[in-house]
Amino acid sequence: MSERATEYVTEEVWRQLFSRRRRRRRRCKGLARLAEAILTGKRMLHNLVGAIAAWLASLLGGDRVVQAFARQLAANIPLPPDAKMVAAARGLQVTGVLLCLVNGDDLTRCQCFIDLALEETKTQVKKILLAALEDWTALAHFPATSR
């Protein structure tokens, strides 16, 4: 993991991040807040692009339906910085989970783990529901995990 991370940050910063046991817990919470801020910023950027598209549609004489269509289309098309923003947020969360693991913390109390698990769970549940809408036999692609 550290080899992968040091492709993007210096080894010195990586080492400092894991120094002092007492601070690692606070660092996880800070990483979680920053990841959430990045993901919120991404949503805000999409909403801004949508609002600009709707405004332009209104300037060009588009009625409310055309404006709504322009807003939704522009807001939902992936933007060039999307992948980097998501990768940065997920990288922060994964690092926070690693900090908690190194600290010996209970992962159910690790904010980075909680945020990552909730997002991945939502994604998986959405895939299951979409599969169910198409064909219930497709649900076989989502086997239950053994307990």
Side-chain angles (χ1 to χ4, degrees), residues 10-25:
T10 64
E11 208 169 304
E12 177 62 23
V13 168
W14 183 256
R15 234 185 352 268
Q16 288 176 358
L17 186 64
F18 284 87
S19 69
R20 297 196 194 126
R21 178 182 172 87
R22 208 178 58 168
R23 290 192 179 172
R24 286 193 292 249
R25 187 170 285 120

Side-chain angles (χ1 to χ4, degrees), residues 31-52:
L31 292 170
R33 283 192 302 270
L34 181 55
E36 181 56 34
I38 290 170
L39 295 173
T40 299
K42 178 180 162 291
R43 285 188 295 274
M44 291 172 65
L45 180 60
H46 278 267
N47 290 339
L48 176 63
V49 170
I52 290 170

